[in-house]
Amino acid sequence: MPAMQTPSPRTERWRAAACVLLFAGAAQAHEIDADALPGAPGWRLGAAVAGVLPDADARWPAARLPGVLLRGSAPPDQRDGLRLEHATVDLGARLTRQLGAAVAVGWHDRDGAHVEAATLQARWPGETGELALRLGRDTVRLGAPIDGAGHFDRFSQTPLAKRAVFDDEWVDDGLALAWRAGDGDADGLRGVEAGLWRGRVFPGGEHGPLVPSLHLHAGWGHVDAHLSAARFQPDARGSAASTVVSSGHSHGTLDCRESLQQRVCFDGTVDVLAGSLQWEPDAGDWTVIVAALLRRERGQLYSASGDAAVHSRIAGGWADLVWRPLARWSLAGRLERLVPENRLNGVGTALLGGEAGVLESAASERATLAASYEAAPGLVLALETGRQWLPGEQVTHVALRLVWSRPQLLEGRW
């Protein structure tokens, strides 16, 4: 009898993918992106999960973005089998027609649970629109095309520009006051939101004043335009030096008032600009998205090795094209480009720039294609492939994904 062959690691990964597909085919779900709060007084429990089975010819995703100063915690290498991309459980309750509350707990690939949202919400309908107030922890709104790029997106990886500007997502503590037009399809201004945030998350720091933000939403027919701006003023914001990159999902920043050892520190002003355009006709066969982000930093960069004035400009964007040839099928492509520019002027700039990882200013690019099938409402299976070009490195990947969302898993009325 011939000896039995041990399956290769790649074979085992694709067998696991088959199990995922069989399980997914039996599941049922509701529409993605439904409001966390019920329309009438009552409560609603929702859940969502995204799993990914990738294969790549090098570390995926990349540990660092050359020329970009981030917190220094690298995302985990996802090439070793089926991984939990992201999962959330959320609970929303509307106490009265005007007042409600919501909380959401999330998990990222083998990390512990964390609170992604915990808000009190109030709304006051009027003749020309609705006034809404949110107080607590939440994702800062930058417009649907940017807010939706990343977690539970049609692609597995957060856009390069979004990772470079916010080191993933901007989730913060604060308050936001918004006005939304009564007719969301009317031409002209469709919404305005002003916020004031604690700013302890990147690109902010543990110390500094509150962070103001402004988001404008306008539209003309089937075209939606978003423009957002925010200003951070971190004091002693710390990042791990490039020689001590750690793994794991982090939501805070290092504090350089505590120590300068193995840290690169920044004092100054950070301006963030975000803009996007989206076109989607009534038929819904096509969606076109163009989005861009800019992070501009001016101030002092320092470590135990040196001190320099820094002028940094991190600009990037992406373009999405989505085609739905059949009712449950979609084909999507995304092109991305990220361009960092850093100027240091001071003592020990070569060593300091090396510790910060900002000596290289070459562009990074990525192209991704994804084919998706909606097996049931809210349950999407996708196969994607892509290539990323970093300075001196190219990474090609293929990934099988499952995204399941059931925002109305359980609900009731008072």
Side-chain angles (χ1 to χ4, degrees):
M1 180 180 294
M4 295 182 63
Q5 295 183 348
T6 302
S8 67
R10 179 173 295 186
T11 301
E12 289 295 331
R13 287 197 292 268
W14 289 108
R15 284 182 178 176
C19 294
V20 170
L21 291 175
L22 289 173
F23 170 79
Q28 298 293 324
H30 289 274
E31 185 178 356
I32 295 176
D33 294 333
D35 187 3
L37 298 184
W43 59 274
R44 176 181 297 170
L45 178 69
V49 63
V52 61
L53 184 67
D55 192 21
D57 54 13
R59 194 190 194 285
W60 187 82
R64 282 188 174 274
L65 297 178
V68 180
L69 178 61
L70 299 173
R71 290 172 294 187
S73 58
D77 190 344
Q78 297 185 334
R79 292 177 296 164
D80 61 349
L82 186 63
R83 308 297 291 258
L84 173 65
E85 187 177 299
H86 191 207
T88 59
V89 174
D90 60 88
L91 176 64
R94 187 170 296 284
L95 308 177
T96 68
R97 289 286 181 180
Q98 286 76 36
L99 185 64
V103 62
V105 178
W107 293 263
H108 292 273
D109 190 31
R110 302 183 185 180
D111 287 340
H114 58 275
V115 177
E116 295 194 352
T119 61
L120 291 174
Q121 304 181 25
R123 64 179 185 179
W124 298 274
E127 294 183 1
T128 60
E130 180 181 86
L131 195 64
L133 176 69
R134 303 193 324 274
L135 175 64
R137 174 171 297 181
D138 203 357
T139 300
V140 180
R141 306 293 193 263
L142 302 172
I146 296 178
D147 298 341
H151 299 165
F152 305 117
D153 190 9
R154 59 176 58 93
F155 301 100
S156 61
Q157 292 296 301
T158 299
L160 295 172
K162 194 171 181 180
R163 181 181 168 192
V165 171
F166 298 114
D167 207 352
D168 195 16
E169 298 278 347
W170 184 8
V171 177
D172 213 337
D173 302 318
L175 61 88
L177 182 64
W179 171 83
R180 301 182 183 89
D183 183 0
D185 295 327
D187 290 348
L189 190 63
R190 294 178 176 177
V192 179
E193 179 172 291
L196 195 61
W197 309 97
R198 193 174 177 218
R200 299 299 184 260
V201 296
F202 193 87
E206 290 297 319
H207 310 284
L210 296 177
V211 176
S213 70
L214 180 64
H215 169 217
L216 303 178
H217 175 200
W220 300 270
H222 300 300
V223 177
D224 282 277
H226 298 268
L227 182 64
S228 302
R231 166 163 285 192
F232 298 78
Q233 299 179 68
D235 182 14
R237 184 193 78 197
S239 301
S242 60
T243 55
V244 291
V245 174
S246 61
S247 296
H249 194 84
S250 174
H251 292 271
T253 57
L254 297 175
D255 187 354
C256 285
R257 293 187 181 182
E258 297 178 353
S259 174
L260 294 181
Q261 295 302 314
Q262 296 183 322
R263 297 179 183 182
V264 178
C265 310
F266 174 78
D267 298 342
T269 300
V270 183
D271 292 317
V272 172
L273 296 176
S276 65
L277 287 172
Q278 176 172 317
W279 172 75
E280 185 173 301
D282 283 335
D285 295 340
W286 294 90
T287 300
V288 179
I289 292 174
V290 179
L293 287 163
L294 171 70
R295 185 181 107 207
R296 185 178 64 176
E297 296 189 340
R298 293 166 295 177
Q300 291 297 123
L301 191 68
Y302 56 97
S303 72
S305 305
D307 189 340
V310 60
H311 293 266
S312 176
R313 183 179 181 273
I314 310 298
W318 65 93
D320 290 355
L321 179 62
V322 184
W323 177 45
R324 302 173 185 85
L326 299 172
R328 295 189 175 187
W329 288 91
S330 68
L331 300 175
R334 172 175 288 174
L335 298 176
E336 306 178 52
R337 183 175 173 84
L338 176 68
V339 181
E341 296 179 4
N342 302 285
R343 289 183 291 133
L344 301 180
N345 186 11
V347 178
T349 55
L351 185 56
L352 179 61
E355 291 177 332
V358 298
L359 293 181
E360 293 183 273
S361 294
S364 299
E365 298 175 334
R366 183 161 62 195
T368 312
L369 294 173
S372 302
Y373 172 67
E374 187 179 15
L379 178 66
V380 177
L381 308 176
L383 179 65
E384 75 169 39
T385 183
R387 173 169 289 186
Q388 181 169 297
W389 295 268
L390 299 176
E393 180 184 9
Q394 294 185 19
V395 182
T396 301
H397 82 273
V398 61
L400 182 66
R401 300 179 66 227
L402 177 150
V403 180
W404 174 84
S405 177
R406 193 165 181 178
Q408 298 173 338
L409 184 63
L410 296 171
E411 60 182 340
R413 296 291 179 260
W414 304 124

